[in-house]
Amino acid sequence: MSIKIVQKGHPALHSPAVAVPVTDIPSKKIQKVITDMKKALASQSDGVGLAAPQIGIPLRIFIVSGKIFDESFERGKGISEAQQTPDLVFINPEITKLSKKAAWLSEGCLSVRPLYGEVRRSLNATVRAYDENGVLLERGGGGLLAHIFQHEVDHLDGILFVDKARNIEEHMPEDYDKKS
């Protein structure tokens, strides 16, 4: 069964998500949400991150696809699941640091198909969150990872990239029809 990614207009995308009690992280319910999110993200070849509200669940959880850390992804080549770095899970994330240096970056969203636009984002970001095992972590990132952190935390705050983007236009990925 495929997990549906909800689209703009769905109430979960436009309201702040609710924090997950840390004691609930190991529960079957939360672990199923994480599993469903990973399946949904894996089903989208052009997806690099996903927030729980994007599958209609208003919880403060997002994941980053492990494929962004693989060299072949950076070169625009496909990778097999066996080669892929595991997805990163962030529960109750807080951005603790943003660089002053920022740029207008191209952005799209699995919940706002087929729109793309430019959003001003910091070039580096640090996030503090719990992982899928309930362990507190702090992770910094630059480039694409920093961009994803900011985009996904916006989702958790009920903000879509189109709410702050400029130069919005439609663009259909080559394999969008095959994966939706």
Side-chain angles (χ1 to χ4, degrees):
M1 180 179 95
S2 68
I3 308 300
K4 184 173 169 62
I5 296 175
V6 301
Q7 296 300 303
K8 185 178 178 186
H10 190 285
L13 295 174
H14 302 284
S15 302
V18 178
V20 176
V22 177
T23 55
D24 288 358
I25 293 173
S27 72
K28 285 183 182 178
K29 177 186 172 191
I30 299 302
Q31 292 301 309
K32 181 176 181 345
V33 169
I34 293 166
T35 298
D36 288 350
M37 290 174 66
K38 288 179 179 182
K39 285 179 186 172
L41 183 56
S43 75
Q44 305 296 308
S45 63
D46 61 329
V48 292
L50 188 77
Q54 291 182 269
I55 61 166
I57 299 172
L59 294 175
R60 295 191 73 80
I61 304 171
F62 76 80
I63 60 173
V64 175
S65 175
K67 70 184 172 190
I68 71 159
F69 301 106
D70 294 309
E71 208 175 287
S72 54
F73 176 77
E74 289 176 21
R75 291 192 308 256
K77 296 187 165 76
I79 54 175
S80 73
E81 283 188 38
Q83 295 172 293
Q84 187 172 315
T85 302
D87 295 335
L88 301 178
V89 176
F90 297 85
I91 302 171
N92 301 335
E94 291 177 50
I95 294 179
T96 59
K97 191 175 182 184
L98 289 172
S99 64
K100 289 180 182 165
K101 196 169 194 176
W104 287 93
L105 303 168
S106 179
E107 197 161 309
C109 179
L110 298 174
S111 292
V112 191
R113 297 274 198 192
L115 301 178
Y116 287 80
E118 295 173 341
V119 179
R120 187 164 174 77
R121 300 284 190 194
S122 292
L123 299 181
N124 293 287
T126 301
V127 172
R128 181 180 303 125
Y130 292 92
D131 70 10
E132 63 205 292
N133 300 308
V135 176
L136 188 62
L137 62 93
E138 191 162 67
R139 174 86 190 234
L144 180 58
L145 186 57
H147 192 164
I148 294 168
F149 285 168
Q150 294 165 83
H151 178 102
E152 300 307 334
V153 169
D154 277 354
H155 269 300
L156 301 180
D157 292 337
I159 300 166
L160 297 175
F161 89 92
V162 291
D163 298 334
K164 50 172 56 174
R166 69 178 190 188
N167 300 325
I168 298 171
E169 57 187 41
E170 283 192 24
H171 174 69
M172 295 298 280
E174 289 177 25
D175 60 352
Y176 174 66
D177 293 329
K178 295 180 217 162
K179 290 290 185 181
S180 301

